[in-house]
Every structure is written in C-alpha cells, then in structure tokens.
Amino acid sequence: MTYTSKATVLRSALLAATLVLLAAGQATAQAATPHHGIQGDWLYLTVTRGDSRSSDTRGTLLLCDPPQGHAHAAEACAELGAAGGDIDAVPPTSVFCPMIYAPVTAHARGEWKGRQVDYTRTFSNGCVLAARTGHVFALDT
C-alpha cells in the first residue's frame, strides 16, 4: 500500500490547475492573434454571378495600407475609410439601373481597424451592386 500525504495531493492538484490556466491563457492569446499575417486594413472580396450554385466567382485581396491588390484600390479604401469600414454605410450613387433580375452576391471578409468584417449581400444585378457599394466590389479592371 502506498501512502500519499495530503500536502502532496494538494501540490499536485495546484500544479494541474496552474497548467490548465496557463494552457487556457495561451489558447486565448493565440485565438486573438490573427493568423493571416497581414498588417493594416484588408478585405478579401468576392463577387458571384448567378445563383448560389454558380461557379462564376471572382475575387481579390484589397489592402489599404497602402492601397493595392484591387483594380480600384485607392477609391475603395477611401470609400471604406469614410464609412468606417462598414460597407453598408458607403454612400450609394444616384444611377438608374435596369430592372433585370441577374443576381450577384458580394462577400467580404477581413479586418478593418482591428475589427473583423464579414459581409454578404445578394443584389438584383451588377448595376445595383455598383450603385450600393461604390468601388469596393468593382473587381473588373
């Protein structure tokens, strides 16, 4: 029969609890650290034409510190900056769009001023997309 003192059991329990707390703190720090390695404001933008099963998807990485990676990076970054990174707050342009249903889905995910961005909207056509989001999703050159 092996005898273990209460002090030894208490030390072992305290050590185990300390290790658990250290591991939890390390996991939280790793979760808070971005894994993408990109500095500054950035969004990965995609536009899909057609329904949700469509394979007609185009995408690009928009970097805003300095503006690059996008056909209209400077304009898109300026519009996002004025809107505080909120794509819904980009002022719509006043244009007349045809009433033709040709759906396009815009998706953006990334980081703006340290805040995670995840935006998805389906618009009735490309004209409405451009009118409501400015240069942000203007992926064509």
Side-chain angles (χ1 to χ4, degrees), residues 40-59:
D41 300 329
W42 66 276
L43 295 175
Y44 182 71
L45 307 164
T46 61
V47 175
T48 303
R49 298 192 183 281
D51 64 14
S52 62
R53 297 176 303 269
S54 175
S55 62
D56 185 9
T57 299
R58 278 176 253 132

Side-chain angles (χ1 to χ4, degrees), residues 79-96:
E79 290 169 350
L80 285 166
D86 182 3
I87 297 170
D88 283 329
V90 171
T93 57
S94 181
V95 298
F96 290 102

Side-chain angles (χ1 to χ4, degrees), residues 3-130:
Y3 176 75
T4 307
S5 72
K6 289 183 182 179
T8 303
V9 171
L10 185 59
R11 274 191 297 253
S12 296
L14 187 58
L15 179 62
T18 302
L19 290 174
V20 167
L21 289 173
L22 285 173
Q26 189 175 31
T28 303
Q30 287 177 348
T33 304
H35 295 285
H36 50 73
I38 301 172
Q39 299 295 319
D41 300 329
W42 66 276
L43 295 175
Y44 182 71
L45 307 164
T46 61
V47 175
T48 303
R49 298 192 183 281
D51 64 14
S52 62
R53 297 176 303 269
S54 175
S55 62
D56 185 9
T57 299
R58 278 176 253 132
T60 193
L61 180 64
L62 171 65
L63 302 170
C64 288
D65 297 318
Q68 58 186 332
H70 183 291
H72 304 279
E75 296 91 342
C77 291
E79 290 169 350
L80 285 166
D86 182 3
I87 297 170
D88 283 329
V90 171
T93 57
S94 181
V95 298
F96 290 102
C97 291
M99 293 181 62
I100 298 172
Y101 185 69
V104 291
T105 300
H107 181 85
R109 81 180 145 66
E111 190 173 298
W112 193 270
K113 304 295 181 215
R115 181 180 52 87
Q116 295 295 312
V117 174
D118 192 6
Y119 171 93
T120 303
R121 299 283 184 280
T122 299
F123 299 91
S124 57
N125 59 50
C127 179
V128 176
L129 167 68

